[in-house]
């Protein structure tokens, strides 16, 4: 806890002491009033006078609860108690998309409510017991995230719930904070999406952020059907800038290093983040498990294997400086079948993505290149993507923006080319 936080806690403590003293004085005055009223009722009454007995109405104590609650808007609509023991912030986040996709044999043109998220977050019972709930109502209402953090100390924060597996950079970047309309083919190949589990994460010194966890390995809103679990660990090194703990991110960091693409605020010092992650899913059986990203099921089944050990590695670097941003990510996966007659398969790929503002914090051009080699034993299984894009930011952040991008995707295995154009309008408040 830094000096400012200690001073804030001290001031809050002084406020509580003043309130307690004030309430004590009010209680003493109420007791004195009751004593005086009681003495008045016991005054002598002459016998010749008729004594009228009147029923004294019962005392009613009204607690003006609304005086203990604050409400308003600050990055979301909020309610909170003045003692900071309870709070609730609500956000509505939406993305409306238009797309045209040409795969050679057919053309698909579609409007889509890509995402419609209702977000609840805050704390309960204690300032350090924090929660996050995200519901997606774009089609039917579905629980996406449910996180409980015990944030007593930033260095080691236990977390339980359902959230995005903290593995590769692109997956744990908020989808509303993307530089292009959606994630790349690399993310769809190597990410694991959301899962139910537990983890511990935090900030060590001023340079290191980490998260280690264990999950069902069976995707969102699903219990485990065997005793095989998914293990993951991620660490990030940040030689410049300031780290702050976040209870609303899959990977526990925000501030200068929020997992958000593009650069706002024209940082004068280069913000550099270097990360690495490992993931292990032993004894994976496609017939029993279905991770959020079903690609891994398809890859194991295509080998003809019923059971395999899955090992993945991810490494990335992100740089933000003035009006320029750059991300580079490398992912590797090894599928090791239990069957002795099936060889293990090594898949790997990389993504390079960059953006620059033509008008600072208003108009940005961006682009990415992705290359994937699905099998190191084969020569005709490469996939690659080229995507340029143009963004208009109306609030100097990702909350209100209009995006356009075009993708050319070549998949050598079926020999298919895809041309895709997308336009997307994002509104978050």
């Amino acid at each position: 806890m830094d000096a400012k936080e200690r001073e804030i806690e001290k001031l809050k403590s002084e406020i509580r002491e003043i309130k307690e003293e004030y309430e004590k004085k009010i209680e003493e005055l109420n007791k004195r009033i009751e004593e005086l009223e009681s003495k008045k009722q016991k005054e002598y009454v002459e016998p010749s006078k008729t004594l009228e007995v009147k029923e004294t109405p019962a005392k009613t104590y009204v607690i003006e609860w609304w005086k203990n609650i604050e409400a308003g808007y600050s990055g979301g609509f909020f309610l909170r108690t003045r003692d900071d023991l309870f709070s609730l912030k609500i956000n509505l986040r939406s993305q409306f998309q238009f797309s045209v996709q040409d795969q050679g044999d057919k053309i698909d043109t579609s409007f889509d409510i890509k995402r419609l998220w209702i977000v609840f977050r805050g704390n309960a019972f204690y300032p350090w017991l924090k929660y996050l709930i995200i519901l997606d109502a774009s089609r039917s209402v579905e629980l996406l995230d449910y996180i409980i953090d015990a944030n007593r100390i930033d260095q080691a924060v236990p977390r339980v719930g359902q959230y995005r597996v903290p593995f590769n950079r692109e997956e744990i970047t908020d989808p509303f904070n993307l530089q292009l309309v959606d994630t790349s083919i690399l993310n769809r190949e190597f990410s694991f999406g959301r899962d139910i589990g537990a983890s511990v994460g935090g900030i060590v010194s001023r340079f290191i952020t980490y998260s280690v966890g264990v999950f069902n390995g069976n995707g969102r809103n699903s219990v485990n059907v065997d005793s095989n679990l998914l293990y993951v660990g991620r660490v990030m090194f940040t030689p410049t800038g300031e780290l702050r703990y976040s209870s609303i991110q899959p990977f526990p960091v925000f501030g200068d290093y929020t997992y958000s693409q593009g650069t706002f605020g024209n940082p004068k010092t280069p913000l550099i983040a270097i990360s690495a992650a490992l993931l292990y899913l032993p004894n994976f059986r496609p017939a029993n498990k279905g991770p959020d990203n079903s690609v891994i099921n398809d890859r194991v089944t295509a080998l003809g294997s019923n059971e395999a050990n899955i090992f993945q590695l991810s490494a990335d670097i992100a740089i933000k400086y003035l009006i320029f941003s750059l991300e580079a990510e490398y992912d590797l996966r090894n599928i090791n079948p239990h069957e002795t007659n099936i060889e293990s398969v090594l898949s790997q790929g990389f993504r390079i993505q960059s953006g620059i503002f033509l008008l600072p914090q208003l108009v940005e051009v961006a682009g990415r290149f992705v290359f994937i080699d699905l099998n190191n034993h084969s020569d005709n299984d490469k996939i690659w993507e080229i995507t340029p894009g143009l963004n208009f930011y109306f609030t100097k952040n990702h909350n209100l923006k209009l995006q356009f991008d075009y993708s050319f995707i070549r998949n050598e295995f079926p020999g298919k080319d895809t041309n895709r154009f997308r336009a997307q309008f994002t509104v978050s408040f």
Side-chain angles (χ1 to χ4, degrees), residues 89-93 117-121 132-135:
K89 182 173 286 188
I90 302 174
N91 295 95
L92 184 64
R93 314 181 74 189
W117 289 8
I118 306 169
V119 183
F120 306 90
R121 56 189 167 103
L132 169 72
I133 300 171
I134 300 180
L135 304 176

Side-chain angles (χ1 to χ4, degrees), residues 41-321:
Q41 291 172 2
K42 292 179 180 179
E43 286 181 354
Y44 176 75
V45 179
E46 292 182 9
S48 58
K49 293 182 180 180
T50 304
L51 183 63
E52 293 183 7
V53 180
K54 293 184 178 181
E55 200 174 303
T56 304
K59 287 184 176 294
T60 301
Y61 297 92
V62 179
I63 301 174
E64 297 178 327
W65 56 267
W66 57 88
K67 292 185 177 180
N68 296 319
I69 292 179
E70 296 177 340
Y73 182 89
S74 178
F77 297 97
F78 70 84
L79 289 171
R80 61 171 174 249
T81 57
R82 294 183 183 274
D83 57 12
D84 292 328
L85 297 184
F86 293 89
S87 69
L88 169 65
K89 182 173 286 188
I90 302 174
N91 295 95
L92 184 64
R93 314 181 74 189
S94 62
Q95 289 181 329
F96 183 78
Q97 186 180 117
F98 171 74
S99 64
V100 179
Q101 182 165 286
D102 179 4
Q103 295 182 315
D105 54 345
K106 65 173 182 173
I107 298 177
D108 297 326
T109 304
S110 178
F111 290 100
D112 186 19
I113 300 175
K114 186 67 176 179
R115 295 178 179 90
L116 178 57
W117 289 8
I118 306 169
V119 183
F120 306 90
R121 56 189 167 103
N123 66 282
F125 303 108
Y126 301 97
W128 48 264
L129 190 61
K130 300 178 180 180
Y131 66 88
L132 169 72
I133 300 171
I134 300 180
L135 304 176
D136 185 6
S138 58
R139 288 168 179 81
S140 60
V141 178
E142 180 186 22
L143 175 66
L144 295 184
D145 290 319
Y146 173 62
I147 294 174
I148 297 291
D149 273 6
N151 187 197
R152 288 297 297 269
I153 57 172
D154 287 350
Q155 290 77 18
V157 181
R159 168 178 290 184
V160 296
Q162 174 175 287
Y163 46 100
R164 283 170 279 166
V165 176
F167 177 59
N168 61 308
R169 170 172 283 275
E170 196 174 14
E171 173 62 23
I172 59 179
T173 299
D174 190 320
F176 287 86
N177 293 345
L178 295 175
Q179 205 168 31
L180 295 161
V181 170
D182 213 336
T183 55
S184 69
I185 60 172
L186 185 78
N187 188 67
R188 288 189 283 279
E189 183 66 37
F190 292 98
S191 69
F192 268 74
R194 288 174 168 84
D195 214 328
I196 301 174
S199 61
V200 176
I203 297 172
V204 179
S205 71
R206 53 172 294 191
F207 301 116
I208 303 294
T209 313
Y210 75 95
S211 178
V212 291
V214 57
F215 297 84
N216 281 339
N218 206 32
R220 73 181 78 171
N221 303 318
S222 299
V223 297
N224 211 5
V225 294
D226 54 33
S227 59
N228 304 319
L229 299 172
L230 182 154
Y231 306 90
V232 65
R234 180 175 174 84
V235 63
M236 183 171 75
F237 172 64
T238 52
T240 61
E242 180 186 353
L243 289 174
R244 285 183 285 167
Y245 184 84
S246 172
S247 61
I248 63 171
Q249 301 290 344
F251 189 68
V253 67
F254 78 121
D256 291 341
Y257 292 100
T258 298
Y259 275 68
S260 175
Q261 295 176 354
T263 177
F264 295 94
N266 300 328
K268 302 301 187 292
T269 301
L271 300 174
I272 303 171
I274 303 170
S275 308
L278 296 175
L279 181 146
Y280 183 53
L281 180 56
N283 306 315
F284 172 70
R285 296 179 180 178
N288 290 350
K289 279 189 183 292
D292 226 15
N293 185 356
S294 61
V295 168
I296 190 64
N297 294 65
D298 299 336
R299 300 303 181 220
V300 175
T301 302
L303 293 175
S305 175
N306 295 318
E307 186 174 355
N309 294 334
I310 311 298
F311 171 81
Q312 292 194 187
L313 176 148
S314 183
D316 61 77
I317 182 171
I319 301 172
K320 298 181 180 183
Y321 181 55

Side-chain angles (χ1 to χ4, degrees), residues 323-337:
I323 60 174
F324 171 78
S325 64
L326 172 69
E327 287 189 4
E329 177 181 329
Y330 169 78
D331 289 289
L332 176 146
R333 177 181 62 226
N334 183 68
I335 302 176
N336 188 12

Side-chain angles (χ1 to χ4, degrees), residues 411-426:
N411 190 335
E412 293 183 359
F413 179 64
K416 178 182 288 188
D417 291 344
T418 300
N419 290 276
R420 181 184 62 202
F421 168 79
R422 297 178 296 189
Q424 184 165 269
F425 183 53
T426 297

